[in-house]
């Protein structure tokens, strides 16, 4: 089911990118209506946080188009390598509203429309800004999940076109990582993986504007936007209802990892040393690869959110070097990685980066295995 949805989504992305590209100028009439479209999260990882788009409807010309900033070209050379390194260019594109509606109807995701209410001169400025952004030379940009994505681009277009102010910016704002957690309740393993690869930038306190990287918060916060003292949006209209997302049946990461780590530590007291050594090497390799990936995302990519990742304190390439210590040679490396895990465990409650609690059994298991190996002659 997921693969079929993903295939359809990819096909529609291609259609979306090409459906309006032939038309580079629009003759909007004074009757043109603008609205924000907020789409609910889906049950696939790529759609976990929802989507935002802008609808432009001109009843005189019959034009009914949707513009969004979440399009990328699958034919880009070295597509996957650029995507991993954060160098893939996203772009603005347009499609017919009927196609957009059919897509989300098929995916059973809700679409909420928020009308934009502006005086004629302000509406013209906003339409001109959208039209300028749609020019081929202005369409592409380097995507950033927190700071420059399909939702923040809409916020920026509105702010660039009009001197708007926000009436409510004083409420308690969560760190960006905690905002993501709201969407990952039924995806515990995605939550665990995302927490592992995100670094300190994800833990900075959000601001009223930063919240708008999430489509839901873009819609909520634009309700407080004012132009010349008046609200720029009207009441929401639900165009499509959402099907409920299925609850997660997978065991929670903390439980499953705790069981696995207990089994790993428990085998250390067995007489079958060959099994103990195999498991030690297996987990050292896994932690080494995990740490190498985190370092690559920090140092080798343009992803701002994966930089300064303190998880490399306990998961890092030093495990590969410590493989020799498992054979009784140069046990200093066992002291180092065990000490780093102990430091992380003590540092856990005071860290500026929010660690996932499922790493606690991993830290304890590494500390115990390193201590036992240091004590033995093997």
């Amino acid at each position: 089911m997921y693969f079929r949805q993903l295939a359809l989504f990819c096909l529609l992305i291609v259609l979306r990118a090409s459906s309006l590209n032939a038309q580079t100028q629009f003759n909007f009439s004074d009757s043109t209506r603008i609205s924000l479209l907020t789409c609910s999260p889906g049950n696939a990882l790529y759609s976990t946080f929802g989507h935002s788009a802008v609808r432009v409807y001109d009843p005189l010309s019959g034009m009914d188009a949707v513009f969004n900033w979440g399009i990328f070209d699958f034919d880009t050379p070295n597509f996957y390598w650029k995507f991993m390194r954060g160098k893939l260019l996203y772009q603005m594109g347009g499609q017919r509203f009927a196609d957009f509606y059919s897509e989300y109807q098929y995916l059973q995701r809700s679409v909420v429309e928020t009308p934009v209410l502006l005086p004629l001169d302000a509406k013209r400025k906003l339409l001109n800004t959208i039209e300028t952004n749609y020019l081929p030379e202005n369409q592409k940009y380097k995507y950033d999940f927190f700071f420059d994505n399909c939702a923040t681009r809409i916020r920026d277009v509105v702010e660039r076109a009009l001197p708007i102010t926000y009436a409510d910016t004083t409420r308690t704002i969560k760190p960006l990582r905690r905002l993501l957690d709201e969407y990952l309740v039924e995806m515990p393993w995605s939550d665990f993986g995302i927490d592992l690869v995100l670094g300190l930038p994800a833990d900075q306190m959000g601001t009223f504007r930063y919240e708008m990287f999430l489509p839901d918060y873009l819609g909520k916060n634009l309700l407080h936007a004012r132009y010349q003292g008046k609200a720029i949006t009207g009441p929401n209209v639900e165009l499509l209802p959402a099907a409920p997302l299925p609850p997660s049946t997978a065991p929670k990461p903390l439980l499953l990892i705790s069981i696995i780590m207990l089994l790993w530590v428990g085998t250390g007291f067995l007489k079958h040393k060959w099994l103990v050594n195999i498991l030690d090497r297996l987990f050292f390799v896994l932690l080494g690869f995990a740490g190498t990936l985190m370092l690559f995302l920090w140092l080798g990519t343009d992803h701002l959110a994966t930089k300064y990742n303190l998880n490399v304190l306990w998961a890092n390439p030093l495990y590969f070097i410590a493989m020799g210590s498992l054979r009784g040679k140069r046990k200093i490396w066992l002291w180092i990685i065990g000490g780093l895990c102990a430091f992380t465990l003590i540092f856990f409650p005071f860290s500026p980066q929010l660690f996932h609690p499922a790493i606690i059994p991993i830290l304890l298991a590494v500390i115990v295995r390193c201590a036992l190996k240091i004590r033995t002659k093997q």
Side-chain angles (χ1 to χ4, degrees):
M1 179 65 176
Y2 294 134
F3 293 108
R4 185 178 66 175
Q5 289 183 351
L6 181 57
L8 175 70
F9 181 80
C10 294
L11 174 62
L12 288 171
I13 284 287
V14 174
L15 294 175
R16 170 188 305 172
S18 61
S19 58
L20 294 178
N21 277 347
Q23 188 175 1
T24 57
Q25 282 192 331
F26 305 101
N27 296 316
F28 299 115
S29 74
D30 292 346
S31 301
T32 301
R33 299 198 290 265
I34 310 170
S35 57
L36 172 71
L37 300 178
T38 304
C39 309
S40 67
N43 54 14
L45 185 59
Y46 70 85
S47 61
T48 300
F49 304 104
H51 185 54
S52 293
V54 172
R55 181 184 183 185
V56 178
Y57 172 55
D58 185 352
L60 294 185
S61 67
M63 175 184 176
D64 195 357
V66 174
F67 298 95
N68 86 92
W69 284 257
I71 294 171
F72 47 84
D73 184 1
F74 286 97
D75 293 328
T76 301
N78 303 312
F79 175 87
Y80 292 105
W81 179 240
K82 288 181 178 179
F83 180 81
M84 176 167 280
R85 295 196 63 204
K87 296 182 180 295
L88 182 67
L89 294 180
Y90 281 57
Q91 69 184 64
M92 176 194 186
Q95 68 179 131
R96 295 185 307 161
F97 173 74
D99 295 334
F100 178 90
Y101 185 91
S102 297
E103 172 187 341
Y104 282 88
Q105 187 176 41
Y106 177 86
L107 295 175
Q108 296 183 306
R109 294 169 59 186
S110 72
V111 177
V112 173
E113 184 172 30
T114 307
V116 176
L117 308 176
L118 291 168
L120 183 58
D121 61 330
K123 182 171 66 173
R124 286 172 177 165
K125 290 179 182 178
L126 181 55
L127 287 170
N128 287 339
T129 303
I130 293 173
E131 184 176 7
T132 300
N133 200 167
Y134 194 66
L135 294 174
E137 62 268 26
N138 298 330
Q139 288 182 357
K140 294 185 178 181
Y141 70 100
K142 191 160 69 171
Y143 177 92
D144 183 89
F145 178 72
F146 283 122
F147 307 113
D148 200 356
N149 66 11
C150 65
T152 65
R153 282 269 154 170
I154 295 174
R155 175 202 66 194
D156 294 346
V157 162
V158 174
E159 293 180 350
R160 189 161 60 247
L162 305 169
I164 66 170
T165 59
Y166 295 102
D168 176 20
T169 61
T170 59
R171 68 170 184 269
T172 301
I173 306 293
K174 299 177 182 178
L176 301 179
R177 191 188 301 266
R178 288 297 184 226
L179 292 175
L180 299 185
D181 288 343
E182 297 176 5
Y183 295 82
L184 297 169
V185 174
E186 296 297 337
M187 304 177 72
W189 286 97
S190 296
D191 180 41
F192 178 59
I194 288 172
D195 273 347
L196 287 185
V197 300
L198 291 182
L200 279 172
D203 296 280
Q204 69 182 48
M205 292 303 295
T207 66
F208 191 81
R209 290 184 73 256
Y210 279 172
E211 283 184 331
M212 295 191 219
F213 81 93
L214 289 167
D216 284 339
Y217 280 89
L218 174 68
K220 293 174 185 176
N221 291 4
L222 280 183
L223 294 176
H224 301 286
R226 299 289 183 268
Y227 175 72
Q228 296 180 345
K230 296 182 179 179
I232 71 168
T233 58
N236 292 335
V237 178
E238 186 179 63
L239 301 182
L240 277 174
L245 296 178
S248 172
T249 57
K252 297 292 192 276
L254 179 59
L255 174 61
L256 185 57
I257 291 175
S258 295
I259 293 172
I260 294 173
M261 293 299 104
L262 281 172
L263 292 174
W264 177 28
V265 171
T267 58
F269 299 96
L270 298 177
K271 295 182 179 180
H272 303 289
K273 298 303 180 184
W274 62 271
L275 177 60
V276 176
N277 290 332
I278 288 175
L279 290 178
D280 284 345
R281 283 166 173 72
L282 172 63
F283 285 110
F284 272 42
V285 167
L286 291 176
L287 291 170
F289 273 123
T292 302
L293 175 61
M294 293 177 202
L295 278 175
F296 170 73
L297 291 173
W298 175 353
L299 302 173
T301 75
D302 292 344
H303 297 295
L304 296 178
T306 59
K307 298 190 180 301
Y308 312 106
N309 187 351
L310 298 185
N311 279 304
V312 299
L313 287 172
W314 62 271
N316 52 66
L318 293 179
Y319 285 88
F320 295 127
I321 303 175
M323 296 281 283
S325 298
L326 293 175
R327 297 191 295 269
K329 302 176 181 179
R330 301 184 65 185
K331 293 188 176 181
I332 182 63
W333 292 108
L334 295 178
W335 281 100
I336 291 174
I337 63 173
L340 286 172
C341 287
F343 174 78
T344 306
L345 192 61
I346 296 170
F347 182 57
F348 192 101
F350 312 104
S351 170
Q353 177 173 321
L354 298 174
F355 292 120
H356 196 285
I359 74 168
I360 294 176
I362 301 175
L363 299 175
L364 292 172
V366 173
I367 293 169
V368 171
R369 289 305 302 142
C370 286
L372 290 175
K373 277 292 184 180
I374 290 170
R375 290 180 58 188
T376 63
K377 295 182 180 180
Q378 293 186 349

